[in-house]
Amino acid sequence: MSAIPSISSLSLSSSAKSRLIVALDYPSAPAALELVDRLEGSCLWFKVGLELYYAAGNGLIETLRGRGLEVFLDLKLHDIPNTVAGAIGSVTQAGASLLTVHAGGGAAMLAAAAEAALRPGAPRLLAVTVLTSMDAGELRGVGVMDTPQDQVLRLARLAKSCGIGGMVCSAEEVGTVRSELGTEVVLVTPGIRSNGDAIGDQRRVASAGEAIQRGASMLVVGRPITQAKDPAAAANSLLAEIDRAGDPALH
Ligand code: C5P
């Protein structure tokens, strides 16, 4: 398995390819692999989320790994500590490089997850802070009166204190989380939209260039690539944007 990028290796010189994760939000392995075929050569990282994992399981992760691709397994685990630790054990040998748990599961759950992820072959954990589909009104609806920014920062700090070195947050908070938690944490940002893209169910969005400039280590992009007429062209244009944003001459 190749090394998981840390921000030090992702700072200004790392390749755009190691920073773009394509979300395979498809209902079956054949549908997902059709897109992978179209992007092979351009993209290295693919995200397997709930829809695809429930349909295709660990077998698909092994297939992607067999093609030399990196897998981000986005299961957003959120359960009691013992169950989350067991779930991490069940996917440990599948070959995913990154796996998500919900930071909202609390300190005991996060610590149990971090411990389970110490086993050889386990994926590196990312803590999901506040879903990029939630705005302040949605948060109030579940009893969180703080702003998304404050809640993201609270959960990111909690995850880090429990031994989890990576977080998922939107481009709206990534700058603050980066400056508060430093350069060692891996920050993964979904909700990437260019001018003219449909926002869909996302709420806290920004362009790829903005997210990188604010401190994102890696970006997750789904529909702007998967629904594009030419997915490879869409991916290549995002890769070029990431390259430009990571160019020290621009800072
Ligand atoms: O299609 P789109 O670019 O909106 O896809 C974003 C992907 O990132 C989806 O697969 C979604 O599950 C995931 N994600 C997210 N917000 C989070 C964590 C993951 O949108 N906080």
Side-chain angles (χ1 to χ4, degrees):
M1 196 178 298
S2 62
I4 306 300
S6 69
I7 188 64
S8 43
S9 64
L10 282 171
S11 51
L12 295 170
S13 58
S14 67
S15 80
K17 236 178 167 180
S18 66
R19 306 179 77 163
L20 178 65
I21 306 169
V22 180
L24 294 174
D25 291 323
Y26 288 102
S28 71
L33 290 172
E34 197 182 315
L35 182 82
V36 173
D37 286 342
R38 296 179 74 173
L39 297 179
E40 222 162 341
S42 302
C43 298
L44 176 64
W45 278 87
F46 291 90
K47 184 173 86 74
V48 176
L50 294 172
E51 181 184 11
L52 185 57
Y53 188 72
Y54 285 137
N58 286 347
L60 177 70
I61 302 173
E62 284 155 19
T63 302
L64 294 169
R65 292 292 301 146
R67 293 186 179 200
L69 302 170
E70 297 286 348
V71 178
F72 170 12
L73 185 55
D74 189 19
L75 298 185
K76 296 191 178 70
L77 300 175
H78 192 165
D79 209 315
I80 61 170
N82 187 55
T83 301
V84 167
I88 293 170
S90 293
V91 298
T92 283
Q93 292 309 325
S97 299
L98 294 170
L99 172 69
T100 45
V101 298
H102 263 293
M109 190 204 90
L110 293 168
E115 194 183 333
L118 292 175
R119 291 185 204 130
R124 180 168 181 159
L125 297 183
L126 298 173
V128 176
T129 55
V130 176
L131 295 172
T132 44
S133 56
M134 296 185 84
D135 56 17
E138 289 258 10
L139 274 184
R140 277 197 299 278
V142 294
V144 176
M145 301 304 160
D146 284 326
T147 61
Q149 173 110 341
D150 287 347
Q151 180 68 355
V152 166
L153 202 48
R154 170 186 293 121
L155 292 172
R157 283 192 180 119
L158 176 69
K160 190 178 179 209
S161 73
C162 294
I164 296 185
M167 294 91 204
V168 182
C169 63
S170 91
E172 283 186 10
E173 306 88 32
V174 74
T176 309
V177 177
R178 173 65 66 211
S179 53
E180 292 285 325
L181 297 192
T183 56
E184 286 310 308
V185 292
V186 172
L187 299 180
V188 176
T189 299
I192 300 301
R193 294 293 186 271
S194 307
N195 275 345
D197 281 345
I199 287 182
D201 54 356
Q202 296 287 17
R203 289 294 170 266
R204 304 188 334 276
V205 299
S207 72
E210 285 165 336
I212 291 288
Q213 279 172 0
R214 291 174 195 170
S217 315
M218 305 174 84
L219 309 180
V220 176
V221 183
R223 289 162 287 186
I225 293 176
T226 60
Q227 307 296 307
K229 274 197 197 107
D230 183 344
N236 286 330
S237 129
L238 283 162
L239 288 165
E241 188 178 341
I242 293 169
D243 252 338
R244 285 195 300 276
D247 183 340
L250 297 177
H251 297 276

